[in-house]
């Protein structure tokens, strides 16, 4: 067993099924020499309908799949009556969810199907299997009161909805729709009617539907819907409960091949620069140009399902002069909206009392008189729009009828001056000096309306430091000095934007960039702050128990340091193991070091007060300053890429830590020089994967690379013949397709390419007649053989057009509807139409 201060070495050759099997057993606490005890694989405690990766979400009354070894007898056992029993087989098998016995459908040696008791509260809950006198280690799932999901034919949560058709009607089974009237007990079937308002959309169109708790199947609802006119095979089925969006959106029947719908732009639309598509029906769009000198955005409506397009006879406006778009999209609806100008007031007091609501099937938008001037519009959780004046939502607009009503409760827009990820605005702006210290290095919620704050005498070179518990008024309830000789280990300062950071310098005022330099996190069970500290060249962790502020030092393993020299360094919190991970280095580095080297992972167990160092495989090293944005954590897999990360220096290897088994492994694409990771599109959390762009001589010329973290496997989707490169559009996980935009040789055109994630088959989507380019335009090559065919930032015109043009949005993937909307251009690179592609 690895103990505090020791280093855990990676096992060579660990990947795929063997890594999952042995790693899962280790995570479950099973000795490899004694595999007779029951054990649960913590990565395979899943919502049985969606199979969402761990940490999976499930609802009270929902179906829970538990996989492992030695969970039941070889012959298995099934419930034979209702209500479902809480014990099956001999010796008895029982599933305890937060120590409450769960109703059981079936028990087998390697899996159990159970119902989450209806009394289970929201939050992260423990799952333990008892077989006879033996109990498994706890696994964890997250319980959420409402979690709409539809059963699928595949049984895996994606693809076609599992249902029956009868003419224009369809019936399917759903879960996660909440409590019912009359109420039922755990383990009992219906009938019962959901207490929440249930809406069913097919192809984005509201369906006439009835919903009842099944009288035959425990935990499932029977949904009967009339297929709306205009819906067709391959359209996604969306079911919402209250304001809660669904976990999955399977399709109505099956679309056999991509379907292209094209509509030509009307005359005068050559300045079209931005596509805004309906949330559930992206075939309906508002297309607009750049903001003019008069403050107006010219706009056109396009409905590719009807082949119709028309100009908006009016002026759309936005409060911000540099706003890319004035058009707001309704959540889980088909409508779009914008303020109608010209402005009649200021942004603070309200620009206009006229609002346009755009809807498919309507010849012109509704023009709504709000009776008071507003300055902005925002989408509300209930699918309607909110009208904003200042920072408050002052009214609501029904996205279907245009009816103006009172604002939702709360009314705030958010923000309010708080620094994201650093605590509440009250603490940061109103902190009262604590023993003369008022420079905040770190702040986070500590429960009970309090914040835990690290304050110092200086933001960059602190010499006096305290940890304090502060209330909402900014007053310290208690405080404690840092242990003698220890000071904060700060992350590298973020780059200063042009013109400086700004802000005041009075007591309690905070430089927002510097406030984030403390590296810390509030862990639970036990509730405590974990914070990086240093003394001389030695690094360690400080734990501060909450609320009593007992401060202690946890030393790092010998020869290991926290890699703090990048501005984005932070702890990663693993829900399923209650552990933390921080990137570690094998040398102490200056705060501004570049490259900022990481040599492995530091695995922190706050409850046991231990730190383990887990080196990257093959003595690898990653530069933390070149990592992609966002959190380096997908479903409790932490990752870092080695290599340059710049345009002409790709990453070459992906280092991954499976936090559930503490197993490190590496992945690299065969036959390529490396890979790049573009924006946030590389994250495929729904399938525990990373999608990269392959690199031979330039970004994208090596196709797409799929890193399957759960199976420790790498797949390459090559660039097809006749194309020089491609870039990722998105993963359409409801049908397991990857879409890319391919650039033809010599940048002579572009096409949408669709790869099947499972079969690896490729389908090229043909452009409509007269269309040479779709989506973002590639850079024009200056000479034969020159250039890389890459895309200019923001999807620019390859050097053409006014220098001060706002960013263009020529391609919009819509995962909810399983569609892509794209601007279409002729050979002269002039916009001539809009097409939507329905993904099979």
């Amino acid at each position: 067993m690895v103990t505090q201060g020791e280093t855990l070495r990676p096992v060579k050759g660990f990947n795929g099924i063997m890594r999952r099997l042995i790693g899962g057993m280790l995570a479950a606490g099973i000795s490899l020499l004694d595999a007779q005890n029951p054990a649960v694989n913590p990565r395979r405690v899943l919502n049985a309908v969606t199979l969402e990766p761990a940490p999976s979400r499930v609802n009270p009354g929902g179906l829970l799949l538990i996989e492992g070894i030695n969970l039941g007898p070889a012959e298995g056992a099934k419930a034979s009556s209702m209500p479902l029993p809480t014990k099956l087989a001999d010796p008895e098998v029982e599933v305890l969810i937060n120590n409450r016995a769960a109703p059981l459908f079936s028990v087998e040696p390697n899996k159990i199907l159970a119902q989450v008791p209806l009394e289970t509260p929201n939050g992260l809950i423990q799952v333990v299997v008892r077989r006879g006198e033996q109990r498994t280690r706890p696994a964890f799932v997250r319980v959420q009161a409402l979690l709409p999901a539809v059963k699928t034919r595949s049984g895996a949560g994606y693809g076609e909805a599992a249902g029956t058709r009868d003419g224009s009607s369809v019936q399917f089974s759903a879960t996660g729709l909440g409590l019912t009237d009359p109420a039922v007990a755990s383990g009992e079937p219906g009938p019962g009617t959901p207490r929440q308002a249930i809406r069913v959309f097919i192809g984005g169109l509201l369906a006439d539907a009835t919903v009842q708790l099944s009288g035959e199947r425990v935990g499932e609802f029977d949904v009967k819907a009339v297929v709306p006119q205009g819906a067709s095979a391959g359209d996604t089925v969306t079911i919402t409960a209250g304001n809660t969006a669904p976990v999955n959106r399977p399709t109505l029947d099956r679309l056999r091949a991509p379907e292209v719908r094209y509509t030509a732009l009307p005359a005068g639309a050559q300045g079209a620069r931005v596509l805004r598509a309906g949330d559930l029906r992206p075939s309906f769009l508002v297309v607009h140009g750049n903001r003019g000198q008069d403050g107006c955005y010219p706009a056109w409506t396009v409905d590719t399902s009807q082949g119709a397009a028309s100009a908006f006879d009016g002026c759309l406006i936005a409060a911000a002069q540099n706003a890319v778009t004035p058009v707001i999209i309704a959540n889980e609806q088909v409508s779009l909206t914008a303020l109608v100008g010209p402005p009649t007031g200021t942004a603070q007091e309200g620009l206009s009392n006229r609002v346009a609501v755009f809807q498919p099937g309507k010849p012109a938008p509704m023009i709504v008189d709000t009776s008071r001037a507003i300055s902005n519009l925002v989408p509300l959780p209930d699918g309607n729009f909110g009208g904003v004046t200042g920072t408050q939502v002052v009214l609501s607009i029904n996205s279907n009828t245009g009816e103006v009503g009172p604002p939702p409760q709360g009314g705030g827009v958010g923000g309010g001056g708080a620094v994201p990820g650093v605590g509440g605005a009250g603490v940061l702006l109103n902190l009262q000096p604590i023993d003369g210290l008022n420079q905040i290095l770190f702040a986070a919620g500590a429960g009970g309306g309090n914040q835990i704050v690290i304050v110092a005498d200086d933001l960059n070179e602190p010499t006096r430091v305290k940890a304090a518990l502060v209330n909402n008024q900014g007053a310290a309830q208690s405080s404690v000095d840092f242990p003698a000789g220890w000071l904060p280990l700060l992350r590298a300062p973020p780059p200063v934007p042009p013109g400086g950071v700004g802000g005041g310098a009075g007591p309690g005022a905070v430089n927002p960039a510097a406030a984030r330099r403390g590296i810390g996190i509030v862990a639970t069970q036990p509730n405590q702050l974990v914070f990086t500290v240093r003394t001389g060249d030695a690094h360690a962790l400080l734990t501060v128990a909450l609320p009593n502020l007992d401060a202690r030092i946890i030393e790092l393993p010998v020869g290991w340091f926290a890699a703090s020299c990048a501005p984005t360094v932070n702890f990663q919190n693993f829900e399923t193991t209650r552990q933390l991970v921080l990137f570690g280095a094998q040398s102490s580095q200056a705060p501004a070091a570049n490259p900022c080297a990481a040599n492995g992972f530091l695995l922190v167990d706050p409850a046991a007060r231990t730190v383990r160092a887990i080196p990257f495989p093959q003595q690898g090293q990653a530069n933390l300053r070149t990592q992609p944005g966002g959190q380096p954590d997908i479903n409790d897999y932490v990752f870092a890429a080695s290599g340059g990360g710049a345009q002409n220096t790709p990453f070459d290897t992906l280092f991954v830590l499976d936090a559930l088994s503490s197993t490190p492994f590496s992945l690299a694409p065969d036959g390529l020089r490396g890979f790049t990771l573009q924006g946030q599109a590389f994250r495929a959390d729904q399938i525990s994967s990373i999608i990269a762009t392959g690199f031979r001589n330039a970004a994208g010329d090596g196709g797409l690379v799929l890193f399957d973290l759960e199976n420790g496997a790498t797949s390459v989707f090559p660039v097809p013949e006749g194309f020089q490169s491609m870039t990722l559009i998105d993963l359409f996980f409801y049908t397991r397709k990857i879409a890319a935009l391919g650039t033809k040789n010599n940048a002579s055109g572009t096409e949408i390419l669709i790869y099947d994630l499972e079969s690896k088959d490729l389908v090229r989507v043909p452009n409509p007649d007269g269309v040479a380019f779709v989506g973002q335009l590639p850079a024009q090559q200056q000479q034969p053989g020159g250039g890389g065919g890459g895309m200019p930032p923001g999807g620019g015109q390859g050097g053409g057009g006014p220098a001060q043009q706002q960013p263009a949005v020529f391609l919009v993937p819509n995962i909810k509807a399983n569609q892509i909307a794209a601007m279409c251009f002729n050979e002269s690179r002039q916009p001539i139409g809009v097409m939507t592609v329905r993904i099979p």
Side-chain angles (χ1 to χ4, degrees):
M1 179 177 178
V2 178
T3 59
Q4 179 181 358
E6 294 184 346
T7 300
L8 181 66
R9 297 292 176 186
V11 180
K12 294 183 179 180
F14 252 27
N15 64 20
I17 296 175
M18 185 59 68
R19 180 182 62 78
R20 290 176 59 195
L21 174 62
I22 299 179
M25 291 174 66
L26 291 173
I30 309 173
S31 166
L32 299 181
L33 300 178
D34 180 13
Q36 300 303 310
N37 297 334
V40 169
N41 182 344
R43 285 210 177 273
R44 299 298 297 174
V45 181
L46 308 174
N47 184 316
V49 173
T50 66
L51 298 189
E52 184 182 53
S56 196
R57 294 172 296 168
V58 68
N59 60 283
L63 311 185
L64 186 67
L65 175 67
I66 304 167
E67 294 186 358
I69 60 173
N70 303 320
L71 300 179
E75 67 276 11
K78 291 184 177 181
S80 57
S81 62
M82 290 186 287
L84 297 175
T86 57
K87 298 175 183 177
L88 282 175
D90 184 18
E92 288 180 341
V93 175
E94 186 178 41
V95 173
L96 301 174
I97 296 180
N98 267 12
N99 292 319
R100 185 187 298 272
L104 301 178
F105 293 91
S106 62
V107 172
E108 298 180 37
N110 61 347
K111 64 181 178 182
I112 295 173
L113 184 61
Q115 183 192 30
V116 177
L118 287 160
E119 302 83 358
T120 308
N122 285 354
L124 195 68
I125 56 100
Q126 290 189 354
V127 178
V128 173
V129 175
R130 180 186 67 82
R131 186 181 181 195
E133 300 301 317
Q134 299 174 330
R135 293 185 177 218
T136 64
R137 284 192 177 185
F140 296 90
V141 292
R142 183 164 291 282
V143 171
Q144 184 175 314
L146 296 174
L147 203 69
V150 176
K151 295 186 76 172
T152 62
R153 293 190 187 280
S154 68
Y158 64 89
E160 295 178 69
T164 57
R165 289 288 298 269
D166 182 11
S168 61
S169 298
V170 62
Q171 179 172 331
F172 54 87
S173 178
T175 60
L177 304 185
L179 300 177
T180 62
D181 287 321
V184 298
S186 298
E188 290 184 348
T193 302
R195 297 177 185 176
Q196 296 289 331
I198 306 299
R199 292 182 298 177
V200 178
F201 299 87
I202 301 177
L205 304 172
L206 185 64
D208 183 14
T210 60
V211 182
Q212 283 287 313
L213 187 65
S214 172
E216 300 176 351
R217 302 180 312 282
V218 173
E220 299 184 30
F221 290 83
D222 290 323
V223 180
K224 299 179 181 179
V226 177
V227 178
Q229 185 175 2
S232 55
D235 281 343
T236 55
V237 176
T238 295
I239 183 166
T240 64
N243 295 333
T244 303
V247 182
N248 69 343
R249 301 173 197 258
T251 63
L252 176 71
D253 302 325
R254 180 185 175 191
L255 184 66
R256 300 290 174 178
E259 182 179 285
V260 175
R261 295 171 174 174
Y262 174 77
T263 299
L265 287 172
Q270 289 76 19
R273 297 270 302 171
V274 175
L275 302 181
R276 298 289 280 170
D279 198 35
L280 293 184
R281 196 163 179 83
S283 57
F284 178 71
L285 307 98
V286 175
V287 183
H288 66 79
N290 283 339
R291 180 187 181 119
Q293 294 295 324
D294 58 356
C296 294
Y297 296 78
W300 304 265
T301 58
V302 176
D303 191 334
T304 62
S305 68
Q306 301 297 319
S310 62
F312 171 65
D313 184 17
C315 167
L316 301 185
I317 59 174
Q321 291 188 3
N322 61 346
V324 174
T325 180
V327 180
I328 304 302
I329 301 169
N331 286 323
E332 302 295 337
Q333 290 284 349
V334 297
S335 302
L336 305 97
T337 191
L339 284 175
V340 178
T344 59
T346 67
Q348 188 62 31
E349 297 173 351
L351 292 175
S352 175
N353 63 346
R354 299 174 68 227
V355 173
V357 178
F358 300 89
Q359 295 176 318
K362 303 291 179 65
M366 289 187 291
I367 303 299
V368 177
D369 185 345
T370 61
S371 76
R372 62 175 295 179
I374 56 177
S375 52
N376 280 301
L377 292 159
V378 294
L380 298 176
D382 61 2
N384 295 319
F385 302 111
V388 178
T389 298
T391 60
Q392 294 295 311
V393 177
V394 296
L395 55 87
S396 63
I397 303 170
N398 187 293
S399 63
N400 293 313
T401 66
E403 180 181 357
V404 178
Q409 291 184 349
V413 179
V419 178
V422 190
V427 167
L428 294 175
L429 298 179
N430 304 314
L431 178 70
Q432 301 172 22
I434 302 170
D435 194 17
L437 306 177
N438 65 356
Q439 302 299 304
I440 303 174
L441 299 176
F442 176 86
N450 294 321
Q451 302 273 333
I452 178 69
V453 181
I454 303 296
V455 290
D457 56 350
D458 188 85
L459 290 171
N460 299 307
E461 297 291 339
T463 59
R464 292 180 56 233
V465 192
K466 281 181 176 286
L469 203 61
V470 180
N471 64 20
N472 285 335
Q473 289 71 47
Q477 306 300 292
S478 56
S479 65
V480 63
D481 289 322
F482 266 37
W486 291 94
L487 293 171
L489 174 66
L490 303 179
R491 64 167 64 88
V496 177
V501 177
V510 176
N511 179 326
R516 295 194 292 268
R517 292 193 64 191
I519 307 172
I521 191 171
V522 173
T524 57
Q525 295 191 353
N527 196 29
Q528 59 185 318
L529 168 68
V530 182
F531 195 81
T532 57
V533 293
R534 62 179 176 84
T535 180
D537 286 335
H539 293 182
L541 300 180
L542 170 70
T543 62
V544 181
L546 301 174
N548 62 15
L549 301 188
D550 178 28
R552 300 184 183 184
I553 294 293
I554 303 176
E555 295 183 355
L556 301 187
V558 175
W560 282 87
F561 305 83
S564 61
C565 44
T568 57
V569 168
N570 213 340
F571 285 97
Q572 303 304 311
N573 182 25
F574 295 132
E575 294 181 319
T576 45
T577 61
R578 308 278 171 96
Q579 293 181 313
L580 310 173
V581 167
L582 188 68
F583 287 113
Q586 292 178 315
S587 62
S588 179
Q589 302 171 85
N594 191 5
C596 176
N599 305 103
F601 309 95
L602 297 176
L603 186 61
V604 184
D605 187 332
R609 303 180 53 78
T610 60
V611 181
R612 291 186 287 170
I614 305 176
F616 293 150
Q618 294 88 47
Q619 298 181 333
Q621 178 174 296
N623 180 3
L624 297 185
R625 285 185 176 269
T626 62
Q627 300 302 304
Q631 297 297 317
D633 168 21
I634 292 179
N635 300 332
D636 287 359
Y637 292 100
V638 181
F639 57 89
S642 69
Q647 183 175 2
N648 294 314
T649 42
F651 299 117
D652 52 50
T653 305
L654 193 71
F655 300 120
V656 185
L657 175 68
D658 182 344
L660 271 68
S661 62
S662 304
T663 305
F665 59 99
S666 61
L667 298 171
D670 292 333
L672 299 178
R673 181 177 158 197
F675 58 92
T676 60
L677 301 170
Q678 58 185 82
Q680 284 296 300
F682 72 89
R683 300 179 62 95
D685 297 55
Q686 301 83 359
I687 56 172
S688 295
S689 296
I690 290 172
I691 304 175
T693 305
F695 193 113
R696 295 183 186 275
N697 300 301
D701 66 353
L704 297 179
V705 181
L706 178 74
F707 296 109
D708 182 346
L709 305 183
E710 185 160 345
N711 294 295
T714 303
S715 302
V716 175
F717 298 84
V719 175
E721 185 177 353
F723 289 77
Q724 65 185 33
S725 65
M726 62 187 188
T727 57
L728 174 68
I729 294 177
D730 218 325
L731 166 68
F732 292 82
F733 46 86
Y734 296 133
T735 54
R736 293 307 195 262
K737 301 295 192 302
I738 298 176
L741 187 63
T743 299
K744 296 181 179 180
N745 291 338
N746 301 314
S748 59
T750 57
E751 282 184 14
I752 292 174
L753 310 172
I754 299 175
Y755 292 88
D756 188 293
L757 191 62
E758 297 174 340
S759 69
K760 308 298 189 295
D761 290 341
L762 166 67
V763 175
R764 290 176 52 180
V765 179
N767 291 346
D769 291 342
V771 173
F773 299 89
V774 296
Q776 263 72 356
L777 289 166
Q780 291 177 312
Q781 295 188 343
Q782 301 302 311
Q783 58 186 16
M791 292 187 184
Q797 295 281 347
Q804 299 301 318
Q805 280 192 353
Q806 293 163 311
V809 181
F810 290 150
L811 192 147
V812 180
N814 186 305
I815 309 303
K816 294 180 181 180
N818 219 42
Q819 296 186 35
I820 299 169
M823 191 77 81
C824 298
F825 303 84
N826 59 20
E827 291 184 348
S828 300
R829 298 180 171 230
Q830 296 301 310
I832 58 174
V834 175
M835 80 173 192
T836 52
V837 181
R838 302 176 67 231
I839 309 295

